[in-house]
Amino acid sequence: MGSEVTEIFGSMVFNESVMKSRLPKETFKALMKTITLGEKLDGSVATVVANAMKDWAIENGATHFTHWFQPLTGTTAEKHDSFIEPTSGGNVIMEFSGKELVQGEPDASSFPSGGLRATFEARGYTAWDPTSYAFIKDGTLCIPTAFCSYTGEALDKKTPLLRSMQAIKKQAVRVLHLFPGNEDVTNVITTVGPEQEYFLVDKALYDKREDLIFTGRTLFGAKSPKGQELEDHYFGMIKPRVQEFMKDLNKELWKLGILAKTEHNEVAPAQHELAPIFGTTNLACDHNQLTMELMRKTASKHGMVCLLHEKPFAGVNGSGKHNNWSISTNTGKNLLDPGATPSQNAQFLLFLSAIIKGVDEYQDLLRISVASAGNDHRLGANEAPPAIISIFLGEELQGILDALLSGKPYGESAKEKMQIGVSVLPEFNKDTTDRNRTSPFAFTGNKFEFRMLGSNESIACANVFLNTIVAEELEQAADILEKSKDFNADLHALIVKNISEHKRIIFNGNGYDDSWVKEAEKRGLLNLRSTPEALQHTMEEKNIRLFEKHGVYSKVELLSRNEIHYENYIKILGIEAATMVDMTRKQILPAAQKFSLALSKTISAMQTAYSGCDVSYEAETFEEVCSLTKEIYEGVKVLESDLAKVTEECDPAKKAIFFHDSVLADMEKIRTAADSLELITPKDIWPFPTYGDLLYGVR
Ligand code: ADP
Ligand code: MG
C-alpha cells in the first residue's frame, strides 16, 4: 500500500509537475506567473493549456468537463459538458478551447443570489481560478472557478476568499518590509488545516428515518441506554467496516491531491474525525468541499450514510470543524511562530497583537461566520465552545504579555524588562498551549485554532472574515509604523496599546463554565446565542466599512449574503418543522394509537378471563400512553398553527426570530413527549430505529 500511495497521490490532478511535463516551456512559465503572482492570463496561453488539459483528462478516462464552483448554498456546483464536437463526416472529435477553460456560462439562475441578480438577467459567469488545480472526478475534468454576475458582483464563496487573501497579503507585506530580514518577501498567504468531524450510520436504518433523510438530524429519539459516558469511543479501536471506509476515502482523497493525514474515532459513538495537512486557504477550502463530498459518496459505497450535520443526535456530542489558521510568507516563514531572535519576536508580537485587536473589534463577524441553524445546537452547549468569542493564549504567553504591559520583568529569574526589538522572548512551552479545548479561538503554538465552525459549513466565510479583519489591523499598524522615526519605541508602544486596549477578549479559563458567561458580560463581550441574534449585526456600519475598504464585499454583496443567511435559516427550520409534523401525524400518533388499542384490548381480555387478574402494568401504561398521546397531539396542533402564523410574516429578521423563539420551542415540547412515549412502547410498535440502533448499528 505504501508505494501505492506515492503513486496515486495527485494522480487525478493537473498539478504543477503535470503542467511542467505537458506544457511548452513558455506556456508553463506564463501560467506559473499567473498562479504565483496573480498576473492576467493571455488568451493564447489559455488555448495551449486547455489543449494539454484535455489530452491529459482524456488519457485519464474523462469524457466531460465542468466549471466547478461554490455558489452561496455553501456546497459546490457543476454542470457537465462533454468534449465532443461533431465533424462533417458524422464523427466526433474531442475539443476543449481556451475560451471554454477560462470562462463559462452556467444557466445557474436558480442559485440564491440574495437579490443581486434579478432572474430575468439571470446569467452569471464562471471564471477559471488558476491558483487551484484542475482535477478529474467521476470521469469529469473539473475546473475550479469563481462565479460572478456580469456586473461584477461575486455570486459565490470563492471570489471573496481570493479577495480577502489579496487584502491580507497587501497589508502583511507592508508590515513585514518594516522589519530587517524580510527583503525577499513578496507574497504572504494564509494557511488552513480544517479538522472535519462526522458520523457514520447504517444506510438501511437511515432509510427508515424521515428526519435524517429530510433534515440530516434526528428530530426524535430517546437517549440510548449507553451514550458517550464511558468515553470508550474516543480514539478507540476503529471498527473493521469503518476502517474499510476510511481506507477507501483516503485513497479517493489522495488521488485528488488532498493531504488526508490523521483519522480517529471521536467522543460520541459512531463519530469520527479526519484531519488533512494544512495548505493555502483557497485550496484548503476547495479540498474541504471535496472531502465532504467524498465522505458522503464513499460511505454510500460501504452501505453507510455520512452525517455531516452539526447535531445529528441530541444528548451526545455534535460535529464541528476546527479551522487551524496561520499566515506565512513566500520565503517559507510562519508568521505566527514566535521565532528566536529579538526581531522575529517583535514581529510575532505585532501580528499577535493585531489579531487580538481584530478579534475583539469584530467579535460579531466571527460569530456570524459560523452561525447556522445546525450549529446553534452546538455553540454554547457543553461540547463546543460557547457562543461568546474569546482568545486563549495559554498561561505562559499570557505571562509574557502581562510583563510587557506592566513593564516588569517576566518570571522570577529574569532581571531585565522586556524591550521589544531588543530582548529575546523567554522560552515558553508551546505544548501547554493546546490543553484548553473549550476556547473558541485558541493559540496553539504557531497557529490559531478557530473551533466554532460547524461540520457542515463551507470554511470560506470564516476565513474571508478572519483574513479581512487581520488585514485591517495590519493596515492600521503599517500606517503608524511606516511613519515612525524611532521604530523600536513606536513598535513597543503599539503592541502594548493593542494588547492593553483589547485584553478583555483574552480568556484562559474554562469556557464551558457558567461563571464565564457572567464574566464575559461584565467585560462587555458579545454573547450572540442564536443565528437570528447574530445576523442582526452583519450590516453594522463598521462591518460594511471594513469589507468595502479592503475590496472584499461591496455593501450589496454583504447585504445579499445576509439575506441568504436569513433565508437559509428560515428554510431549514421550516423543513424541520414540517418533517416533525409529518412524522408525528403519520408515524408517532398512529403507533401510539396501535399501542393503546392493544393495551385496552389486553386489559379487557385479561379481566374477562379472570376478574381478579392484576392489570397494573397494562392499565398504568395505558394511562401514560393516553396522556402522552394527548400532549403530542396538542403539541402538533400548536406547531401547525405557529407554522401558519409564520407564513404571514414578511420581514426575514422577524421571521427568523419567530422560528427560533416559537417554532423551535414547540418542536422541543413534542419531542420531549414523544421520547417519553418511545421509552414505554414495544420495539415492534415504535415506527423507526432508535438511538441505540443508529449509534451502534455499524458493526
Ligand atoms: P492537534 O491539533 O491534534 O495537536 P496539529 O496541531 O498537528 O494537531 O494540527 C492540527 C491541524 O492543524 C492539522 O490539520 C494541521 O495540518 C494544521 N496546521 C498545522 N500547522 C498549521 C499552520 N501553520 N497553518 C494552518 N494549519 C496548520
Ligand atoms: Mg487540533
Side-chain angles (χ1 to χ4, degrees):
M1 180 73 189
S3 62
E4 196 197 341
V5 176
T6 50
E7 216 165 275
I8 63 169
F9 189 83
S11 59
M12 289 294 151
V13 184
F14 195 71
N15 58 23
E16 197 177 323
S17 58
V18 179
M19 291 185 212
K20 198 166 183 180
S21 69
R22 288 186 171 251
L23 293 173
K25 240 191 198 135
E26 285 312 304
T27 313
F28 176 70
K29 255 205 215 148
L31 184 58
M32 289 317 285
K33 247 185 171 168
T34 302
I35 293 173
T36 51
L37 303 172
E39 282 182 17
K40 211 173 155 15
L41 195 73
D42 196 71
S44 60
V45 175
T47 306
V48 180
V49 177
N51 211 33
M53 229 186 230
K54 178 204 66 184
D55 290 344
W56 168 82
I58 291 171
E59 278 167 38
N60 284 287
T63 51
H64 288 67
F65 69 93
T66 182
H67 275 200
W68 184 76
F69 61 104
Q70 302 177 22
L72 297 172
T73 50
T75 55
T76 57
E78 44 198 81
K79 177 187 155 210
H80 299 183
D81 281 298
S82 68
F83 290 120
I84 58 167
E85 282 292 332
T87 61
S88 51
N91 296 324
V92 291
I93 50 164
M94 301 297 254
E95 281 287 11
F96 184 48
S97 69
K99 197 173 161 285
E100 284 172 308
L101 166 65
V102 173
Q103 190 162 321
E105 238 185 277
D107 181 18
S109 49
S110 296
F111 286 115
S113 67
L116 270 180
R117 200 176 36 138
T119 355
F120 58 85
E121 44 153 1
R123 284 179 177 257
Y125 70 93
T126 49
W128 181 34
D129 164 23
T131 62
S132 183
Y133 300 131
F135 55 90
I136 298 171
K137 181 168 67 72
D138 300 330
T140 299
L141 170 68
C142 299
I143 299 145
T145 56
F147 180 38
C148 296
S149 78
Y150 271 107
T151 42
E153 280 98 7
L155 296 169
D156 66 347
K157 302 216 168 206
K158 184 190 265 281
T159 308
L161 186 62
L162 293 172
R163 291 175 182 165
S164 76
M165 289 178 70
Q166 281 299 321
I168 194 168
K169 166 194 162 174
K170 186 169 157 202
Q171 304 308 334
V173 168
R174 274 180 74 197
V175 168
L176 289 173
H177 283 168
L178 297 166
F179 290 85
N182 291 332
E183 294 74 16
D184 298 344
V185 174
T186 51
N187 194 12
V188 166
I189 54 160
T190 55
T191 51
V192 164
E195 302 165 55
Q196 176 75 47
E197 291 180 331
Y198 61 96
F199 280 84
L200 288 175
V201 296
D202 187 80
K203 172 87 165 68
L205 297 171
Y206 168 95
D207 283 341
K208 293 184 184 148
R209 300 258 340 192
E210 229 174 77
D211 47 4
L212 285 180
I213 293 171
F214 293 141
T215 75
R217 74 177 178 108
T218 54
L219 301 173
F220 296 101
K223 212 174 156 306
S224 69
K226 182 177 180 223
Q228 66 188 43
E229 44 285 281
L230 290 179
E231 299 195 346
D232 51 351
H233 192 254
Y234 190 48
F235 279 65
M237 202 263 302
I238 301 174
K239 290 182 186 128
R241 195 166 157 203
V242 174
Q243 192 89 62
E244 283 303 305
F245 156 85
M246 286 178 172
K247 208 168 117 189
D248 217 13
L249 175 64
N250 281 335
K251 220 160 134 185
E252 292 306 314
L253 293 171
W254 289 334
K255 279 191 208 161
L256 292 179
I258 298 172
L259 291 156
K261 173 84 174 160
T262 49
E263 56 202 16
H264 59 79
N265 286 350
E266 260 300 330
V267 176
Q271 192 185 28
H272 312 278
E273 181 188 291
L274 183 138
I277 295 174
F278 68 97
T280 311
T281 305
N282 174 31
L283 265 184
C285 183
D286 287 358
H287 284 177
N288 183 249
Q289 293 291 345
L290 287 170
T291 302
M292 292 194 285
E293 180 182 330
L294 284 169
M295 279 178 167
R296 290 201 176 96
K297 279 191 185 153
T298 310
S300 132
K301 277 191 218 154
H302 290 257
M304 297 186 284
V305 176
C306 173
L307 303 177
L308 287 168
H309 193 283
E310 283 79 10
K311 191 75 182 175
F313 302 99
V316 297
N317 276 7
S319 301
K321 195 132 62 184
H322 289 176
N323 190 79
N324 294 276
W325 176 91
S326 191
I327 325 173
S328 71
T329 64
N330 58 310
T331 52
K333 272 191 229 153
N334 177 354
L335 299 172
L336 295 184
D337 190 324
T341 66
S343 163
Q344 287 166 350
N345 293 167
Q347 190 184 294
F348 162 72
L349 287 171
L350 178 60
F351 276 89
L352 181 71
S353 76
I355 294 169
I356 292 171
K357 179 170 183 282
V359 172
D360 185 31
E361 287 178 343
Y362 297 99
Q363 296 163 46
D364 50 351
L365 284 182
L366 291 175
R367 174 66 184 89
I368 290 161
S369 77
V370 297
S372 72
N375 220 13
D376 276 2
H377 298 288
R378 283 176 73 237
L379 299 178
N382 246 8
E383 67 191 42
I388 307 162
I389 304 276
S390 67
I391 296 181
F392 170 85
L393 293 178
E395 254 170 53
E396 293 184 68
L397 184 54
Q398 182 69 51
I400 294 168
L401 297 191
D402 288 344
L404 266 178
L405 290 183
S406 64
K408 291 190 184 132
Y410 167 75
E412 279 167 21
S413 55
K415 295 194 180 64
E416 307 261 327
K417 285 190 282 192
M418 283 271 310
Q419 181 59 39
I420 288 195
V422 182
S423 3
V424 179
L425 276 186
E427 272 294 310
F428 65 94
N429 191 347
K430 284 167 207 161
D431 293 335
T432 59
T433 52
D434 199 23
R435 276 200 205 134
N436 187 324
R437 309 294 297 177
T438 65
S439 175
F441 201 83
F443 182 68
T444 52
N446 59 5
K447 61 186 186 292
F448 273 99
E449 187 167 342
F450 187 18
R451 298 191 175 125
M452 290 171 94
L453 283 75
S455 48
N456 204 12
E457 294 287 307
S458 155
I459 61 169
C461 188
N463 287 294
V464 169
F465 286 16
L466 197 51
N467 291 345
T468 313
I469 291 166
V470 177
E472 167 62 24
E473 305 304 345
L474 293 176
E475 177 173 36
Q476 289 184 23
D479 285 349
I480 294 169
L481 295 174
E482 278 173 356
K483 288 196 225 91
S484 168
K485 300 246 158 26
D486 183 347
F487 183 68
N488 275 347
D490 289 342
L491 176 64
H492 189 113
L494 179 62
I495 292 173
V496 168
K497 182 170 185 278
N498 281 351
I499 297 168
S500 71
E501 284 177 2
H502 299 283
K503 59 175 191 268
R504 64 171 186 169
I505 198 75
I506 303 172
F507 176 63
N508 295 309
N510 181 1
Y512 293 172
D513 209 280
D514 284 340
S515 62
W516 168 232
V517 178
K518 291 195 196 87
E519 165 70 18
E521 197 180 333
K522 242 194 266 159
R523 293 189 190 187
L525 299 180
L526 288 172
N527 184 6
L528 304 171
R529 288 179 187 82
S530 68
T531 299
E533 224 181 302
L535 293 186
Q536 289 174 6
H537 293 260
T538 314
M539 298 312 289
E540 278 179 14
E541 224 20 72
K542 72 170 177 73
N543 296 339
I544 299 171
R545 215 179 319 123
L546 170 80
F547 288 120
E548 289 207 316
K549 183 174 166 197
H550 294 277
V552 173
Y553 296 119
S554 66
K555 186 175 174 181
V556 245
E557 284 173 335
L558 191 64
L559 185 66
S560 74
R561 276 155 184 81
N562 208 42
E563 274 180 30
I564 291 168
H565 213 150
Y566 270 123
E567 209 176 281
N568 259 338
Y569 180 83
I570 290 164
K571 280 185 186 160
I572 287 170
L573 286 192
I575 294 169
E576 287 187 352
T579 305
M580 188 167 238
V581 168
D582 203 60
M583 288 174 81
T584 305
R585 284 200 176 269
K586 294 190 186 151
Q587 295 187 291
I588 295 178
L589 288 173
Q593 194 187 39
K594 196 169 162 190
F595 187 28
S596 54
L597 182 67
L599 284 168
S600 64
K601 273 188 187 160
T602 311
I603 293 168
S604 52
M606 282 165 78
Q607 280 173 338
T608 313
Y610 169 50
S611 62
C613 171
D614 182 81
V615 290
S616 52
Y617 159 65
E618 290 77 8
E620 282 166 32
T621 308
F622 180 66
E623 202 182 322
E624 216 177 326
V625 172
C626 290
S627 122
L628 287 170
T629 305
K630 183 169 155 56
E631 232 177 278
I632 295 167
Y633 180 52
E634 295 301 327
V636 81
K637 284 193 293 185
V638 174
L639 177 58
E640 283 165 337
S641 103
D642 276 340
L643 282 176
K645 245 187 249 167
V646 79
T647 55
E648 286 158 28
E649 179 57 69
C650 296
D651 178 45
K654 286 190 189 142
K655 205 167 178 153
I657 289 172
F658 187 83
F659 262 111
H660 179 267
D661 293 354
S662 303
V663 174
L664 268 182
D666 296 344
M667 290 171 67
E668 198 49 47
K669 274 192 200 141
I670 300 174
R671 176 179 188 148
T672 308
D675 289 357
S676 303
L677 181 64
E678 181 201 316
L679 288 174
I680 55 169
T681 305
K683 206 158 172 59
D684 61 336
I685 296 183
W686 195 249
F688 37 75
T690 62
Y691 268 28
D693 300 331
L694 289 166
L695 290 170
Y696 295 93
V698 172
R699 276 185 277 269

